Amino acid sequence: MAVPQGYDLVVQQLIPGYASLARLAVALLAASPKAGRAGAQVLVAGCGTGAELVEARAQRPDWRVTAIDPSAEMLAEAQQRLGEAGIVWRQSRVEELQADACFAGALSVLVLQSLPDDGTKLAFLSALARSLEPGGQLVLVDLMAPERSPLQAQVDAAWLGFQKASGLPAADGELSALTHGLHPIGTARLTALVNAAGFSDPARVFQALGYEGFLLQRAA
């Protein structure tokens, strides 16, 4: 998969608050009992072009970070941005890592949404849970399916208005191509999946239109 031109700018134009989302995700994990330790091992699952890695380096340069992504192009973009120092790079999916209980914490931003709910989402979440120490935490951010509401049409229109006001070129009545082909789920389904994977109930820590962030903890 090629990296879309200007990917980081497009995502900022698409998601309200995205510019500070990586900062919030890292700060949440840094405040956790496990990943808060000096020199903690942290996994960034689906590192993309490296927004969370930039924040991790700024806030917690002591962390021993493993960054994975199945896309060679995304990894190359992130490596060019950050260099080699202090980061272990792997072109891999979390299901292939075989890193049982290796990490004190993990970040997964805009990854689960791209996986179909045919067992693939559960396999991804289960692999993340296995990779964490008991009590380790995961910050998960994704596009969520909207709840039924008579105001949903207004929310969708506001999202298009936000994109237009942010300078994102898009055809009238269409969301960005980055939202096409995704598989968002609702909060009830997410709760069922994370519980089945071995996590606690999700605690919501971020919401902007359809995008929501959750803090999860692996069962001790």
Side-chain angles (χ1 to χ4, degrees):
M1 179 185 71
V3 180
Q5 186 174 11
Y7 173 85
D8 293 307
L9 176 59
V10 170
V11 176
Q12 288 185 41
Q13 293 169 325
L14 178 66
I15 305 174
Y18 180 80
S20 59
L21 183 54
R23 184 170 301 159
L24 172 62
V26 171
L28 280 164
L29 204 57
S32 69
K34 297 284 186 179
R37 299 176 307 203
Q41 290 200 71
V42 170
L43 173 66
V44 180
C47 67
T49 57
E52 292 78 42
L53 298 172
V54 170
E55 277 299 328
R57 178 171 287 177
Q59 293 187 40
R60 291 299 302 264
D62 60 297
W63 274 354
R64 293 173 289 162
V65 176
T66 296
I68 67 170
D69 202 289
S71 166
E73 291 84 359
M74 286 287 193
L75 274 179
E77 189 84 5
Q79 284 178 299
Q80 184 176 9
R81 186 176 185 180
L82 286 120
E84 298 291 335
I87 299 173
V88 176
W89 302 95
R90 294 278 301 275
Q91 185 184 349
S92 176
R93 301 180 187 277
V94 68
E95 298 92 328
E96 303 161 351
L97 264 188
Q98 297 181 341
D100 291 1
C102 284
F103 299 101
L107 302 167
S108 175
V109 177
L110 308 182
V111 178
L112 188 69
Q113 62 189 26
S114 66
L115 306 177
D117 191 13
D118 57 2
T120 308
K121 286 185 189 293
L122 179 58
F124 174 77
L125 290 166
S126 297
L128 279 173
R130 287 195 306 271
S131 75
L132 291 172
E133 301 173 13
Q137 293 183 354
L138 165 68
V139 178
L140 181 75
V141 181
D142 275 287
L143 178 65
M144 300 291 289
E147 304 294 338
R148 292 183 180 180
S149 167
L151 301 178
Q152 188 57 44
Q154 180 180 342
V155 173
D156 292 343
W159 195 3
L160 288 167
F162 174 83
Q163 292 180 54
K164 184 177 180 180
S166 299
L168 181 65
D172 289 343
E174 292 186 4
L175 295 177
S176 164
L178 289 179
T179 66
H180 293 169
L182 301 182
H183 307 275
I185 55 177
T187 305
R189 179 58 179 158
L190 177 65
T191 301
L193 285 172
V194 300
N195 288 167
F199 286 107
S200 61
D201 286 349
R204 186 182 287 107
V205 293
F206 171 88
Q207 183 169 5
L209 296 177
Y211 289 89
E212 298 183 42
F214 301 93
L215 186 62
L216 312 172
Q217 183 164 303
R218 178 184 171 177

